[in-house]
Amino acid sequence: MTLTATTSHTVGPYYHIGLTWLNRENLTVEQTLGERVAITGQVVDGNGDVVNDAMLEVWQANAAGKYDHPEDDQDKPLDPNFEGFGRIPVDAEGRFRFTTIKPGTVEGLKGTTQAPHLVVLVFARGLVKHLLTRIYFDGEPANVSDPLLECVPAERRNTLLAKQDASGVYQWNVILQGTDAETVFFDY
């Protein structure tokens, strides 16, 4: 038997068909433990044009720093009221907003500690493969020793930092390509 590779397809905009039931812009319920945070922003391309059909998937640890996943064997409590997953579509202006909790620190490789962060997958038309990035919280003391942030050139780290505005909402944008302000995306 001979196997032939199929042609590649973009990841969007077809993910909207049949997946809207998974959309969740509030990752918390009333009983969820931890500090509630709102994160808002916009997805744009390298020219600054709005990407109005993007979708973000967010995965994160709970307030204690434990993922709701069987492979997370840390000796930390699991919050039964927090799954750590959200799927957030953007609006016609490429804007998004979601509510979650600030995660705790997570154990990294070789005894390191990862700063509180959210893992974000970006889906959009024209992408052959979704993009992987992270949101860190500006001013978080653990950022200075986070092993992944240390791998990112200092002048690019700000693309991964959500900054709190005067109202307490965190601002973080996704810039897909083309400028020095392009969001840092990771290989996987």
Side-chain angles (χ1 to χ4, degrees):
M1 176 200 267
T2 303
L3 300 176
T4 307
T6 59
T7 57
S8 64
H9 298 278
T10 64
V11 298
Y14 309 110
Y15 48 75
H16 288 286
I17 300 170
L19 294 179
T20 55
W21 67 276
L22 290 170
N23 291 355
R24 184 181 316 161
E25 296 162 352
N26 186 348
L27 283 64
T28 69
V29 295
E30 187 177 333
Q31 300 83 5
T32 302
L33 303 173
E35 174 190 350
R36 301 284 192 289
V37 294
I39 299 175
T40 187
Q42 187 176 35
V43 180
V44 297
D45 66 16
N47 296 322
D49 295 330
V50 168
V51 178
N52 62 5
D53 65 350
M55 182 172 56
L56 307 178
E57 260 189 18
V58 176
W59 295 89
Q60 72 171 91
N62 66 21
K66 185 170 179 74
Y67 286 94
D68 187 6
H69 192 277
E71 291 185 20
D72 186 342
D73 59 0
Q74 297 180 87
D75 187 21
K76 295 180 179 179
L78 192 61
D79 183 348
N81 299 302
F82 187 71
E83 293 177 354
F85 171 79
R87 180 172 280 155
I88 303 99
V90 300
D91 66 14
E93 299 300 317
R95 297 193 182 285
F96 61 87
R97 180 184 176 99
F98 63 95
T99 304
T100 187
I101 53 104
K102 191 171 183 182
T105 58
V106 177
E107 293 176 16
L109 298 174
K110 300 179 183 173
T112 60
T113 299
Q114 299 179 53
H117 66 276
L118 287 68
V119 176
V120 180
L121 298 178
V122 180
F123 298 85
R125 68 182 129 87
L127 297 177
V128 176
K129 186 166 92 167
H130 57 269
L131 302 172
L132 173 67
T133 189
R134 284 186 174 191
I135 299 174
Y136 289 89
F137 298 89
D138 190 38
E140 177 64 41
N143 287 349
V144 297
S145 60
D146 182 272
L148 190 62
L149 272 178
E150 287 179 344
C151 294
V152 176
E155 66 274 8
R156 302 286 320 281
R157 290 179 192 154
N158 65 339
T159 70
L160 301 174
L161 298 177
K163 296 173 176 63
Q164 206 169 23
D165 66 17
S167 70
V169 173
Y170 283 90
Q171 304 291 321
W172 179 76
N173 295 314
V174 177
I175 302 173
L176 293 178
Q177 65 184 14
T179 69
D180 291 339
E182 175 183 327
T183 301
V184 170
F185 299 104
F186 300 101
D187 290 333
Y188 57 96

